[in-house]
Amino acid sequence: CFIQYANRYYPDILQSFTTVQLLLSLHGRRRKKTMSLVIPAIIIAYTLVNSATSGKSSSAKSPAFSLPINVINLEKDTTRWERLVIDLADKGVTPSAVQRLPAVYGKTLLKEELEAKTTKKARLWCTPGMIGCYLSHVKFWNKVASEESPYQLVLEDDAMVCDDFEKRAQQMVDDLQDNPETKDTWDVLLLGAFSCVHPEKKYGQYRFQAWLLGDGRRQRRVSSNIQIPHRPLGTHAYILSKRGAEKLLRRASKATWHVDCVIWGLPEMNLYLCDPMLVFQDTESPSTVGAVTKGVETRLPKWKMDEYTGASFEWAMNEPFLKIPMLNVVLSIGRYISLFLVGVITAILLNGQIPGWVLPSHVVLSIGFAVTFARYMKRPQALAAGEDLIEATTAVMADVAGTKTTPRATPHGVSVGV
């Protein structure tokens, strides 16, 4: 048993002391009895020395990653929560470090809450899932800004983490803190992302997406494991500093559109991405932001759009682009592209029967609307100066109830309290 233990956890013991050879060369009950005591003694001594040595070396480095890992999860999605907790434990994460952050369920928000927490364009063009996702992350930003920890980590409940996740995440933070360029100035570290983030700039089809949204950064490396991405998307895993949380609350605390399209394009955010990425999103699971999850569209091929990010074609095409007002119909990315292609094919087939300007007009209008709409929707909007998200909602509810309100101080200025 001791030999098997040593071979698994301390293989260098067997190499150094050639334990196997010693056992094979010894004969007789007395020698075997002696070796049965010597081998455990060697392992125990080695373990103590190794622990003492590693303790001295680690004392000079940053402390172990002890910050809570926040998991955004809807109360009704207990299966997702349980799956992620088990996966985190299997990947070496201390269970006590994982905290559940109840997600905002967009469908249950009252009219007064929507008016306080969202923009008019969000209420008009966004699905309840998009709004709920955005406000769930705002909830996390408030948590980071109000607590003492200098930075915190958040995962969405469809995240898939790497082995030794805790240790490797801390190493990435240490890398930022040890670099004079980024020390105490970084705002957010993405642990996983989509779109134009390939370290060798192999963006492929994502180039159009980056052009559509705008606000791209000049991609470059700041260390062997950290880079500045060109135009990332995805909020399934990131570490946010207090400084970054305060920036986001000042600039983008009201739900506007897809949260990642809005916040990762803010030029004032000092944003970085680890390479290799530590977390991927489970694109096989149904999306909770109002994507198409039923019908023939879910039978689209699930081939990966690129190996680096792992995004599947079916998942990407069924993500919502907008909600058609009054009709309450979701126009997914795939549906928008399909309408565009149908128009192009129809114009080609009817060539000679329709005016020549129809096809180019269709192309220009379709692309022009997509660009204009995306860049309009991604403009951030914050609460009124000095208002905290919760306090603003309280003020609205107080006005409805007819109660008196009084100003009071908050970490972000003066707000209204009941």
Side-chain angles (χ1 to χ4, degrees):
C1 290
F2 273 103
I3 292 173
Q4 291 179 359
Y5 177 83
N7 187 44
R8 181 175 180 182
Y9 296 102
Y10 301 105
D12 46 346
I13 295 179
L14 295 179
Q15 296 174 4
S16 302
F17 297 100
T18 60
T19 310
V20 175
Q21 287 81 354
L22 283 171
L23 282 175
L24 293 175
S25 64
L26 293 175
H27 299 284
R29 188 175 299 175
R30 183 174 299 176
R31 290 185 178 181
K32 287 183 180 179
K33 184 177 181 180
T34 303
M35 287 307 298
S36 68
L37 297 175
V38 171
I39 294 171
I42 292 173
I43 294 175
I44 293 171
Y46 180 86
T47 304
L48 292 174
V49 172
N50 186 59
S51 299
T53 305
S54 62
K56 290 179 181 178
S57 60
S58 62
S59 63
K61 298 180 180 180
S62 300
F65 191 70
S66 57
L67 293 177
I69 299 175
N70 302 275
V71 176
I72 294 176
N73 171 254
L74 286 168
E75 292 183 358
K76 66 184 185 68
D77 289 337
T78 55
T79 303
R80 286 188 176 218
W81 164 250
E82 292 168 357
R83 180 204 64 80
L84 184 57
V85 169
I86 293 172
D87 185 50
L88 289 172
D90 290 341
K91 300 299 174 58
V93 176
T94 307
S96 60
V98 182
Q99 294 185 0
R100 184 174 172 276
L101 187 66
V104 176
Y105 193 34
K107 291 182 178 180
T108 61
L109 291 173
L110 301 175
K111 180 181 177 181
E112 293 79 15
E113 291 179 293
L114 285 171
E115 290 177 353
K117 300 178 181 181
T118 67
T119 60
K120 290 182 179 179
K121 57 186 177 182
R123 297 192 291 274
L124 187 65
W125 298 101
C126 291
T127 66
M130 292 165 66
I131 291 174
C133 177
Y134 197 115
L135 295 180
S136 298
H137 284 275
V138 174
K139 194 175 184 179
F140 171 66
W141 308 341
N142 273 303
K143 184 176 185 292
V144 176
S146 61
E147 294 182 354
E148 295 182 1
S149 300
Y151 46 84
Q152 295 192 41
L153 188 152
V154 68
L155 296 172
E156 292 179 346
D157 59 10
D158 57 353
M160 300 185 298
V161 304
C162 65
D163 291 330
D164 296 325
F165 175 64
E166 242 179 335
K167 179 180 178 182
R168 294 181 67 181
Q170 180 60 47
Q171 288 174 346
M172 295 298 176
V173 173
D174 292 342
D175 201 346
L176 284 172
Q177 286 297 101
D178 293 340
N179 190 330
E181 179 184 350
T182 57
K183 182 179 181 181
D184 296 329
T185 61
W186 65 275
D187 295 322
V188 61
L189 172 64
L190 301 179
L191 303 180
F194 298 110
S195 195
C196 294
V197 296
H198 196 284
E200 297 176 7
K201 300 182 180 180
K202 297 178 181 179
Y203 302 146
Q205 65 273 17
Y206 292 127
R207 291 183 184 276
F208 177 76
Q209 191 177 58
W211 172 77
L212 183 75
L213 293 171
D215 297 325
R217 294 174 171 80
R218 184 174 68 86
Q219 182 165 339
R220 64 182 179 87
R221 282 196 175 275
V222 296
S223 71
S224 58
N225 294 318
I226 303 292
Q227 63 160 320
I228 297 176
H230 176 50
R231 188 51 167 103
L233 292 176
T235 52
H236 49 286
Y238 60 96
I239 300 176
L240 184 66
S241 68
K242 285 180 70 69
R243 178 178 49 258
E246 291 167 357
K247 285 183 180 180
L248 290 174
L249 289 171
R250 283 197 303 267
R251 291 280 282 119
S253 55
K254 274 196 171 185
T256 307
W257 194 37
H258 286 289
V259 60
D260 51 348
C261 294
V262 176
I263 62 176
W264 299 154
L266 295 176
E268 63 266 40
M269 292 295 292
N270 295 320
L271 182 146
Y272 301 90
L273 170 67
C274 64
D275 176 46
M277 296 191 294
L278 305 184
V279 186
F280 295 88
Q281 193 161 18
D282 182 10
T283 57
E284 299 296 323
S285 299
S287 174
T288 58
V289 295
V292 178
T293 57
K294 296 179 181 179
V296 67
E297 291 161 286
T298 60
R299 298 180 183 178
L300 291 171
K302 297 181 182 293
W303 46 264
K304 292 183 179 180
M305 297 181 66
D306 72 299
E307 292 294 330
Y308 186 71
T309 65
S312 75
F313 177 77
E314 182 267 335
W315 176 83
M317 290 298 101
N318 287 325
E319 285 294 288
F321 180 56
L322 58 88
K323 179 196 70 177
I324 300 177
M326 294 182 289
L327 297 179
N328 237 10
V329 176
V330 175
L331 191 61
S332 65
I333 295 173
R335 288 174 179 176
Y336 191 85
I337 294 174
S338 297
L339 289 174
F340 170 72
L341 293 177
V342 167
V344 171
I345 294 171
T346 302
I348 293 174
L349 293 176
L350 297 177
N351 186 27
Q353 302 178 36
I354 57 176
W357 53 264
V358 172
L359 177 57
S361 297
H362 170 71
V363 172
V364 170
L365 288 174
S366 298
I367 296 177
F369 174 79
V371 173
T372 304
F373 179 80
R375 299 197 178 188
Y376 165 70
M377 292 296 291
K378 75 178 182 63
R379 290 178 183 173
Q381 185 173 333
L383 296 168
E387 285 188 324
D388 178 81
L389 184 64
I390 299 175
E391 300 298 335
T393 306
T394 305
V396 173
M397 298 298 289
D399 290 339
V400 172
T403 56
K404 295 182 179 180
T405 59
T406 55
R408 76 178 189 183
T410 70
H412 308 292
V414 177
S415 69
V416 179
V418 178

